[in-house]
């Protein structure tokens, strides 16, 4: 044991979970492009299947490349374990799966990515689950929405599309009182800007498709477990605290303690739902994570400059960036995301829906895509795309009214981004 100081974030984003490949010495994490792994003998196979020994069986469950990414994200988030999935949406289902049963509900913020609103308001109903949406700035409403059948509280740290900042300390105090887990989608903030577990989150989910990969190459997701929730404190979470019939009666909380959720996620969740991340995707995401802090600093610096410029422009009605002193969320930055308010926000264009559509078409450097968290600057008119399935009331509550566009500010030269917005705003409102 050395008394060396704990490595910092920049060191961990490069090294956590990885080591030179023991077979070849390869310094970069190899892509273990294999479906299955040879057992040493029959006893070894039995021990792996009984979860008495940790190792590799089949890549739907575990894969060495994916395992490095799992450990890296768990470390950066300050969790005890993580399970990678095929997409951010898959991660959300994987987070809820061990907690939910037919008839149970979640309490979710109205300010979420539009696809998540649809997943929670429509698709999960097919499993007999439901969601109650409330304004997470109204703490009394959050408290009142929790009932005996609530099994989780769900929000985004920096909420898509408006870049609103959730008071995670206040929300986790409510979920703690109710004895239910808080799940935080940390996609837009990343563990560099916000560490939800330090603010009381039980589980953190990510669309790794976004900033963690950072270059718009692969879809992926991850669920990180804080290891802090006592699943056996009551009877609400039988998959974790009682004999699990889907794994020959194993009691995950008893056998794995703080790792219960992670082991359940792999042994039951990935085994039976199969929403597995492939090793190629894990490789691209590992490459991206190595530069996460450098990129996020630049994303934030650029977002700050572009938002400040937009706010003073007469063609713009308002800008939602929390990094602006005019934002009602400005005071939360120091507490929730001290390294900056991210790079995702909306602005309202004078001229409404028509002007927004023209603006999107007139931009040359910004790409018009349904994505965020790329090195490139991206723009989308949420009301006609990502939030299209939502009612006008839901769009308004989510901050995606027809007169606003959402931008994800990239790492290019801020002057070039401002010049592009300037010429496009002239065309859109001219
Ligand atoms: C905040 C947030 N969470 C989750 C998702 C879903 O992620 P994925 O597209 O990887 O399924 C998205 C996608 O845009 C998102 O923006």
């Amino acid at each position: 044991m050395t008394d060396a100081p704990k490595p910092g974030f920049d060191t961990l984003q490069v090294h956590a979970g990885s080591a030179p490949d023991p077979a070849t010495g390869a310094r970069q994490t190899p892509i273990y492009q294999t479906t299955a792994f040879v057992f040493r003998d029959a006893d070894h196979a039995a021990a792996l299947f009984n979860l008495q020994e940790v190792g590799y069986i089949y890549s739907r469950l575990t894969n060495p490349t994916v395992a490095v990414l799992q450990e890296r994200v768990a470390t950066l988030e300050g969790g005890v374990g993580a399970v990678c999935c095929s997409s951010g949406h898959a991660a959300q289902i994987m987070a809820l799966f061990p907690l939910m049963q037919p008839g149970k509900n979640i309490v979710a913020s109205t300010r979420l990515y539009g696809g998540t609103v649809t997943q929670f308001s429509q698709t999960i109903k097919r499993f007999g689950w439901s969601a109650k949406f409330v304004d997470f700035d109204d703490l009394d409403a959050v408290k009142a929405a929790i009932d005996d059948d609530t099994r989780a509280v769900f929000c985004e740290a920096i909420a898509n599309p408006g870049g609103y900042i959730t008071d995670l300390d206040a929300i986790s105090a409510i979920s703690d009182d109710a004895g239910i887990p808080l799940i935080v989608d940390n996609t837009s903030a990343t563990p560099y800007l916000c560490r939800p577990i330090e603010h009381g989150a039980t589980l953190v989910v990510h669309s790794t498709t976004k900033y963690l990969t950072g270059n718009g190459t692969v879809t992926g997701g991850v669920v990180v477990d804080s290891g802090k929730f006592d699943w056996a404190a009551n009877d609400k979470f039988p998959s974790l605290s009682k004999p699990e019939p889907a794994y020959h009666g194993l009691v995950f909380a008893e056998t794995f303690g703080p790792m219960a959720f992670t082991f359940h996620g792999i042994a039951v969740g990935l085994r039976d739902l199969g929403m597995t991340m492939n090793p190629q995707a894990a490789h691209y995401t590992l490459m991206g994570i190595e530069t996460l802090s450098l990129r996020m600093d630049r994303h934030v610096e650029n977002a700050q400059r572009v938002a400040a410029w937009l706010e003073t422009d007469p063609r713009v009605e308002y800008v939602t960036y929390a990094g602006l002193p005019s934002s009602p969320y400005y005071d939360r930055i120091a507490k929730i995301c001290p390294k900056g308010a991210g790079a995702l926000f909306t602005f309202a264009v004078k001229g409404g829906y028509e002007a927004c559509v023209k603006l999107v078409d007139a931009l040359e450097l910004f790409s018009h895509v349904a994505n965020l968290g790329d090195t490139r600057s991206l723009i989308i008119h949420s009301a006609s795309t990502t939030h299209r399935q939502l009612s006008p009331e839901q769009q308004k509550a989510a901050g995606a009214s027809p007169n606003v566009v959402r931008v994800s500010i990239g790492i290019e030269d801020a002057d070039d981004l401002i010049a592009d917005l300037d010429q496009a705003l002239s065309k859109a409102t001219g």
Side-chain angles (χ1 to χ4, degrees):
M1 288 291 278
T2 67
D3 290 333
K6 225 173 137 259
F9 192 95
D10 292 354
T11 304
L12 293 172
Q13 72 186 359
V14 176
H15 291 283
S18 70
D21 181 51
T24 61
R27 190 62 195 85
Q28 186 51 274
T29 302
I31 304 175
Y32 286 90
Q33 196 64 60
T34 180
T35 306
F37 301 83
V38 177
F39 306 120
R40 287 195 302 273
D41 52 33
D43 285 345
H44 178 221
L48 290 174
F49 275 88
N50 273 343
L51 299 179
Q52 286 158 335
E53 189 177 326
V54 176
Y56 299 103
I57 299 176
Y58 186 68
S59 283
R60 170 156 38 84
L61 302 150
T62 46
N63 173 282
T65 314
V66 179
V68 173
L69 179 60
Q70 286 172 168
E71 194 171 333
R72 186 151 318 162
V73 182
T75 305
L76 295 178
E77 286 286 5
V80 295
V83 182
C84 282
C85 312
S86 49
S87 69
H89 260 14
Q92 290 168 193
I93 295 297
M94 284 283 291
L96 293 175
F97 177 65
L99 316 180
M100 302 294 280
Q101 286 170 304
K104 305 304 173 198
N105 68 69
I106 60 171
V107 170
S109 169
T110 45
R111 295 190 192 89
L112 295 176
Y113 160 57
T116 304
V117 176
T118 307
Q119 187 186 54
F120 288 173
S121 60
Q122 303 299 328
T123 306
I124 64 170
K125 283 202 264 189
R126 311 261 181 107
F127 309 144
W129 311 345
S130 62
K132 300 186 206 180
F133 291 94
V134 277
D135 178 351
F136 271 39
D137 281 339
D138 182 346
L139 299 179
D140 290 335
V142 178
K143 262 184 231 160
I146 296 173
D147 63 29
D148 287 346
D149 288 324
T150 304
R151 292 295 177 268
V153 172
F154 189 100
C155 61
E156 292 178 18
I158 297 184
N160 188 346
Y164 313 108
I165 296 175
T166 308
D167 187 347
L168 299 179
D169 299 296
I171 299 295
S172 67
I174 296 173
S175 59
D176 278 354
D177 273 354
I180 49 173
L182 170 63
I183 306 174
V184 176
D185 181 342
N186 202 26
T187 299
S188 309
T190 82
Y192 180 64
L193 299 181
C194 175
R195 307 236 309 164
I197 292 173
E198 290 170 7
H199 299 281
T202 309
L203 303 172
V204 178
V205 292
H206 277 277
S207 165
T208 59
T209 316
K210 316 297 181 194
Y211 292 104
L212 293 187
T213 303
N215 46 40
T217 46
V218 285
T219 61
V222 65
V223 188
V224 180
D225 181 15
S226 66
K228 291 183 179 161
F229 196 86
D230 182 2
W231 304 108
N234 53 44
D235 288 344
K236 287 187 171 172
F237 305 101
S239 278
L240 296 162
S241 66
K242 302 267 183 283
E244 167 61 279
Y247 214 93
H248 50 73
L250 189 74
V251 182
F252 279 81
E254 202 175 272
T255 311
F256 299 108
M259 291 295 284
F261 188 92
T262 303
F263 270 88
H264 191 282
I266 293 168
V268 181
L270 289 183
R271 186 197 65 184
D272 295 348
L273 301 178
M275 300 193 273
T276 308
M277 179 180 279
N278 68 73
Q280 286 270 353
H283 172 74
Y284 281 113
T285 304
L286 280 167
M287 298 288 231
I289 283 189
E290 291 182 356
T291 57
L292 180 65
S293 63
L294 312 179
R295 286 184 285 111
M296 292 315 292
D297 277 339
R298 182 60 173 264
H299 279 295
V300 168
E301 188 187 317
N302 278 359
Q304 195 72 44
R305 275 200 58 202
V306 172
W309 179 82
L310 282 168
E311 192 176 40
T312 57
D313 194 283
R315 296 161 295 186
V316 170
E317 252 171 63
Y318 62 84
V319 182
T320 63
Y321 188 52
L324 296 173
S326 58
S327 165
Y329 298 97
Y330 185 72
D331 291 343
R332 288 189 189 161
I333 298 174
K335 187 168 77 158
I336 305 292
C337 38
K339 292 206 181 74
L344 186 72
F345 61 88
T346 58
F347 61 94
V349 185
K350 287 186 185 156
Y353 190 103
E354 286 285 297
C356 288
V357 172
K358 278 194 202 151
L359 173 85
V360 163
D361 281 345
L363 283 162
E364 289 166 12
L365 192 53
F366 279 76
S367 303
H368 180 199
V369 296
N371 195 17
L372 61 94
D374 197 327
T375 47
R376 279 153 282 267
S377 289
L378 314 174
I379 189 160
I380 196 153
H381 181 226
S382 303
S384 59
T385 55
T386 50
H387 290 63
R388 192 185 182 88
Q389 316 285 338
L390 274 54
S391 67
E393 296 74 40
Q394 284 176 316
Q395 285 180 350
K396 191 160 176 273
S401 295
N403 63 333
V404 304
V405 287
R406 182 196 75 188
V407 283
S408 167
I409 301 296
I411 61 171
E412 304 98 329
D413 285 298
D415 288 339
D416 295 333
L417 299 176
I418 290 170
D420 195 29
L421 285 165
D422 190 23
Q423 65 79 21
L425 276 166
S426 295
K427 287 185 187 138
T429 60

